[in-house]
Amino acid sequence: MSETPYTDDDLRTEAARQHRAATKDPDFVGIGEQMEGHKIASRGNVQWDELGEGDWDRATRAVDGLLESAADVSEWAINLGADGLVPSADHALGVTADGRPIARVLFAYVPDVPEEARTALRQAIDAALDDAEPANIDPDVTTGEAMGPADDLSLQLYRAQDALAFVEECCAIADQEQRPITTANVREWLKGARCGRQLLAAGDLTAPVDEQPGGRP
């Protein structure tokens, strides 16, 4: 029985609510005040408040619109921080159809995940997305027909998740044995032992796990 009248999930839910409230309905005048003295990223030392009146007005209104339409990722932000995961702003993978994005995969890692493992994971998921990416969206497609590509992508991402867990285990063993870890090692480990749930998802339970390709270092 819990020692408190609330759970950890209750705390996360409340934190997410307050996180969202802190960024909702920003004050328009305050937006301009926060832009003053800050450089425009693509313009070197040029600051926002050095713009002409018309450009300044358009810029502040555009920022206001972006803040108003910002996705509510407060729950994600709270859970990532609570779990010790750090978002990566450098990489994002997406699925597009008819020239517009329809899905996006963002990454967050615990700080001690090797860069080789991060790169290999991104490449594995990117390949899965390429295999499952639809060329076009058919407005007449049925729910059943649409589930095929979705199930394929789900399976590929499921396998990528297991692959990362296997890589992390191999990295831990290599660290314990004080052996260097190379990109080639990580790529090979990503092909490694397929666990039981992967075999079940793939519908292939005929071969014992220990006969599958790959293995621990």
Side-chain angles (χ1 to χ4, degrees), residues 4-202:
T4 61
Y6 50 80
T7 67
D8 182 65
D9 286 342
D10 292 331
L11 294 175
R12 294 191 184 198
T13 299
E14 176 59 18
R17 185 191 67 78
Q18 294 194 29
H19 185 278
R20 175 56 176 166
T23 58
K24 191 176 181 181
D25 297 328
D27 175 63
F28 181 69
V29 175
I31 291 173
E33 291 176 347
Q34 292 190 62
M35 293 170 68
E36 292 178 357
H38 289 273
K39 298 176 182 179
I40 303 174
S42 66
R43 296 288 304 279
N45 291 323
V46 178
Q47 298 179 356
W48 286 108
D49 50 314
E50 294 176 347
L51 295 174
E53 184 176 349
D55 289 332
W56 167 260
D57 183 65
R58 284 189 291 272
T60 53
R61 291 186 182 280
V63 171
D64 179 52
L66 290 170
L67 288 170
E68 184 64 29
S69 65
D72 181 7
V73 293
S74 297
E75 184 176 352
W76 289 1
I78 294 300
N79 286 332
L80 288 176
D83 293 337
L85 298 171
V86 180
S88 171
D90 298 330
H91 301 91
L93 303 177
V95 177
T96 60
D98 287 345
R100 66 185 180 92
I102 61 172
R104 184 166 299 158
V105 179
L106 304 177
F107 294 87
Y109 311 93
V110 291
D112 58 351
V113 172
E115 182 59 35
E116 293 86 354
R118 301 183 187 201
T119 300
L121 174 65
R122 290 193 298 266
Q123 291 174 345
I125 294 180
D126 192 22
L129 292 174
D130 285 343
D131 290 341
E133 187 168 354
N136 295 287
I137 296 178
D138 183 354
D140 298 322
V141 70
T142 67
T143 301
E145 291 170 337
M147 286 302 296
D151 287 342
D152 289 342
L153 177 57
S154 178
L155 175 58
Q156 293 294 335
L157 293 178
Y158 204 34
R159 288 175 172 169
Q161 182 183 22
D162 274 336
L164 178 60
F166 184 70
V167 168
E168 289 177 341
E169 180 182 350
C170 291
C171 288
I173 294 173
D175 286 342
Q176 290 174 0
E177 297 178 354
Q178 297 184 338
R179 291 189 287 105
I181 301 172
T182 66
T183 302
N185 292 144
V186 175
R187 291 184 187 279
E188 187 61 32
W189 294 338
L190 277 171
K191 304 174 186 177
R194 297 173 64 194
C195 72
R197 62 178 174 152
Q198 284 184 313
L199 295 173
L200 180 61

Side-chain angles (χ1 to χ4, degrees), residues 198-216:
Q198 284 184 313
L199 295 173
L200 180 61
D204 179 12
L205 294 176
T206 58
V209 173
D210 58 7
E211 292 183 9
Q212 296 299 323
R216 289 171 176 73

